[in-house]
Every structure is written in structure tokens, then in C-alpha cells.
Amino acid sequence: MFDKKLIFLLLVSITGVLSASADKNNIALGKPYTWSMKPNAFPNGYDGNSMCLDDADKTQLTDGELADRCWWDKRTVGWWQEGNITITIDLGKVMPVNEVEFHLSSERAGLRIPRRTTIFVSNDNKTFLPDGEMVK
């Protein structure tokens, strides 16, 4: 197992990065992150609903809250995008990571989940190594 400072994700919404310790704490909880493209789903709402795009998107991926109503839920962070979206979580220090958990929208009503989600890790935010993958 590699020690990991940063978790680098393509096309994903994160619900937890769990430590390698027995208690499996969410070590990404409240941690800052950056993205390659700002969330852009439903910028003007839909049918009178404000939908998911809001200023809280800057913290919602690591706040520990799980959205349950898809795009209508303000806790959801979403993108209209063909191609890769990169999300980088800074854990603040090098630490072992046991698993990465994330919650994706369903594929209903024309919404799509990523065909592939790849996890990369880095100790220096410069060199990233692949460490896991989910394929649809």
C-alpha cells in the first residue's frame, strides 16, 4: 500500500476516503478540493426548482452529507460534460488510504454516470499513480 497525500479522481462525486486503520475514518471529511471544471448542471434550475448548482458545491463533495434526491437535492454536485472531469482532494499530509467511496446519480431520465472512474494517488501533487478503477 502506498502512502497518499492527494486523491485524484476522474468523473466522480465523493462520499468518503477511508483510512487504512481499523476504524475506517473518513479522512477526506472537510478537506479542500479542486476541480478541472466548475459544476455546471442546471445553472438556471428546471421547472421552478433551483436544482443542485450553488455556492456550497465548493464544500459538498467532502462534507459527509449524502444527497438522496438526485439533481433536485441541493447537496448534489453535478456536471453536464462529455469527457473527463478531474477532482483533487488534498488530505493535508501523507497518510495511508484503504478505500475510496463515492455516490453517483442513477441513469434515469437521461442522466448518465461516468463510464469509468479512475483513482490516482500522489505524495507530492506532481506525480500521480493509478491506484484503482471502477468501470461501468
Side-chain angles (χ1 to χ4, degrees):
M1 176 186 305
F2 291 98
D3 282 341
K4 294 132 184 167
K5 178 177 181 195
L6 297 170
I7 301 296
F8 183 73
L9 302 152
L10 301 178
L11 300 168
V12 68
S13 297
I14 301 103
T15 58
V17 177
L18 305 182
S19 70
S21 64
D23 57 7
K24 291 190 173 184
N25 292 327
N26 181 356
I27 57 179
L29 188 62
K31 299 297 185 192
Y33 53 86
T34 58
W35 45 51
S36 60
M37 184 177 116
K38 289 182 178 183
N40 62 357
F42 298 103
N44 301 311
Y46 182 75
D47 280 347
N49 295 307
S50 60
M51 307 302 271
C52 62
L53 186 65
D54 62 4
D55 287 337
D57 289 345
K58 299 172 191 168
T59 59
Q60 289 171 322
L61 292 179
T62 58
D63 68 2
E65 297 268 334
L66 183 60
D68 59 4
R69 291 182 30 224
C70 196
W71 304 105
W72 295 273
D73 192 322
K74 295 296 272 178
R75 296 172 294 179
T76 299
V77 180
W79 289 264
W80 290 115
Q81 174 69 20
E82 293 284 330
N84 294 340
I85 298 169
T86 302
I87 301 166
T88 305
I89 304 170
D90 188 344
L91 299 177
K93 63 182 179 180
V94 175
M95 61 181 66
V97 173
N98 190 48
E99 59 189 83
V100 176
E101 294 179 354
F102 47 92
H103 180 78
L104 302 170
S105 171
S106 66
E107 288 208 6
R108 293 181 21 204
L111 303 174
R112 297 290 175 250
I113 62 171
R115 286 185 294 270
R116 177 181 312 253
T117 301
T118 307
I119 309 300
F120 291 86
V121 296
S122 175
N123 287 332
D124 60 8
N125 200 19
K126 294 176 186 163
T127 303
F128 290 88
L129 303 171
D131 196 49
E133 181 174 72
M134 181 197 77
V135 179
K136 178 175 140 184

